[in-house]
Amino acid sequence: MQPSSSSTPRGPVDASVVPRFAGIATFARLPTLDEVGRADVAVVGVPFDSGVSYRPGARFGPAHVREASRLLRPYNPAQDVFPFGAQQVADAGDIAANPFDIDAAVTEIAAAARKLGERATRLVTIGGDHTIALPLLRAVSERHGPVAVIHFDAHLDTWDTYFGAPTTHGTPFRRASEEGLIDLTASMHVGIRGPLYDKSDLSDDERLGFAIVTTDEIERDGVARAIERIRTRVAGAPVYLSIDIDVLDPAHAPGTGTPEAGGLTSRELLTIIRSLSDLPIVGADVVEVAPAYDHAQITAVAASHTVYELLSAMAPKGANA
């Protein structure tokens, strides 16, 4: 995929000219979408957390991640790519969603994602809580059909309801499966761990179209085996990556709403993302960063690097401009 514009992509502000701590914190100090008109990838925030079941605060996640992203640099040696030079990447600001009405918010997010799709080929979204994955998948599936979801999370997020509410941060992938938004033969959870409500949670999840790589399996069999299983499962389907930052151990991501012990390291997560760079990635989200529980930007740094690796994975290979 080549840059949308015939001109050279406009990249971040030069840190040798303007100090990293100066100016407005767009993601990685990139231009705004309004400044460039069109983009191959737009980074957009969704400051919404009305679907949480425990700690609130992920509505402040997009700003927190952008602030931590100031230190990112233009060349990614791990993937041998200039993610901002091989494609036009821009910050599209935030999608405003109703904080008092989840159904209205979901409708607004989906509509805004569709509208952004007229100016950007792909979106990488910073949440916000995991509720936002549902409207984002609705928009993506309209363009690509059912997608293979690679879902990084401590939790399944395929439960039915909380307190009778069908749309929360614990239910998006059940609703997505029921609506035919995901490829039931090619979707997978990665990083699952911790207690469940019932053993039937696992059989329900399988019926809804997901295979699982647990952190126990990664500890036992290694990251390379997990990557092999993921790649075999998705098998060439269009891929959407949904990354709940609580897939990381609380030592690596304390600033999140429902932390679980025994998670991935940030290094393991980044390694897995890099291994997927040749897949047809059609969109992604990074969610559940809750700044009030963060320390020294530990979670925000992990999330900003996760977004950076996603952008690098989306960049055309061999185009190291």
Side-chain angles (χ1 to χ4, degrees):
M1 185 180 301
Q2 296 302 314
S4 300
S5 170
S6 59
S7 62
T8 301
R10 180 174 166 184
V13 174
D14 187 343
S16 69
V17 176
V18 180
R20 298 181 188 280
F21 43 80
I24 296 172
T26 58
F27 185 82
R29 308 178 83 207
L30 286 162
T32 67
L33 185 57
D34 287 342
E35 289 176 313
V36 298
R38 294 188 59 83
D40 297 295
V41 188
V43 179
V44 61
V46 182
F48 173 86
D49 68 356
S50 299
V52 300
S53 58
Y54 195 53
R55 295 171 171 174
R59 66 183 62 184
F60 301 109
H64 192 52
V65 175
R66 285 186 176 108
E67 188 63 34
S69 75
R70 289 176 179 271
L71 197 57
L72 294 170
R73 298 178 178 88
Y75 174 61
N76 184 340
Q79 296 199 46
D80 187 24
V81 69
F82 288 87
F84 312 132
Q87 61 191 346
Q88 181 63 66
V89 186
D91 192 317
D94 288 341
I95 294 172
N98 190 326
F100 304 110
D101 186 326
I102 294 177
D103 290 338
V106 165
T107 299
E108 291 161 355
I109 294 165
R114 293 186 195 101
K115 189 70 175 176
L116 276 175
E118 299 172 4
R119 302 173 63 193
T121 305
R122 290 177 286 189
L123 303 182
V124 175
T125 307
I126 306 171
D129 75 53
H130 224 150
T131 307
I132 71 171
L134 177 60
L136 294 172
L137 284 169
R138 285 175 178 168
V140 165
S141 67
E142 287 174 9
R143 178 179 289 191
H144 300 282
V147 294
V149 173
I150 306 176
H151 169 221
F152 295 81
D153 204 320
H155 311 97
L156 299 171
D157 289 359
T158 51
W159 288 289
D160 191 13
T161 67
Y162 283 100
F163 295 90
T167 308
T168 73
H169 76 159
T171 69
F173 299 109
R174 178 180 285 259
R175 302 285 91 85
S177 177
E178 293 169 345
E179 293 179 21
L181 308 181
I182 70 172
D183 187 330
L184 302 184
T185 67
S187 295
M188 176 167 268
H189 306 296
V190 182
I192 301 300
R193 62 190 188 276
L196 299 172
Y197 292 105
D198 193 274
K199 190 173 182 177
S200 63
D201 292 345
L202 296 171
S203 55
D204 271 0
D205 189 77
E206 183 178 9
R207 177 179 57 80
L208 291 164
F210 287 92
I212 298 174
V213 177
T214 67
T215 53
D216 287 341
E217 290 171 303
I218 293 174
E219 174 65 21
R220 183 187 67 226
D221 301 329
V223 173
R225 174 58 180 152
I227 290 169
E228 180 184 350
R229 285 194 59 202
I230 295 166
R231 293 180 61 86
T232 299
R233 176 76 175 171
V234 300
V239 172
Y240 184 91
L241 286 87
S242 187
I243 302 174
D244 187 326
I245 206 64
D246 74 22
V247 73
L248 300 179
D249 190 88
H252 297 265
T256 193
T258 49
E260 299 280 356
L264 298 182
T265 67
S266 54
R267 181 172 58 245
E268 288 168 336
L269 174 59
L270 299 182
T271 296
I272 295 172
I273 293 171
R274 291 165 186 157
S275 77
L276 308 176
S277 64
D278 63 327
L279 300 182
I281 301 171
V282 297
D285 62 62
V286 178
V287 300
E288 299 283 356
V289 175
Y293 310 101
D294 205 5
H295 309 288
Q297 294 188 320
I298 292 172
T299 312
V301 168
S304 68
H305 278 263
T306 298
V307 174
Y308 181 72
E309 293 297 340
L310 289 168
L311 295 171
S312 298
M314 291 178 174
K317 303 307 176 280
N320 294 329

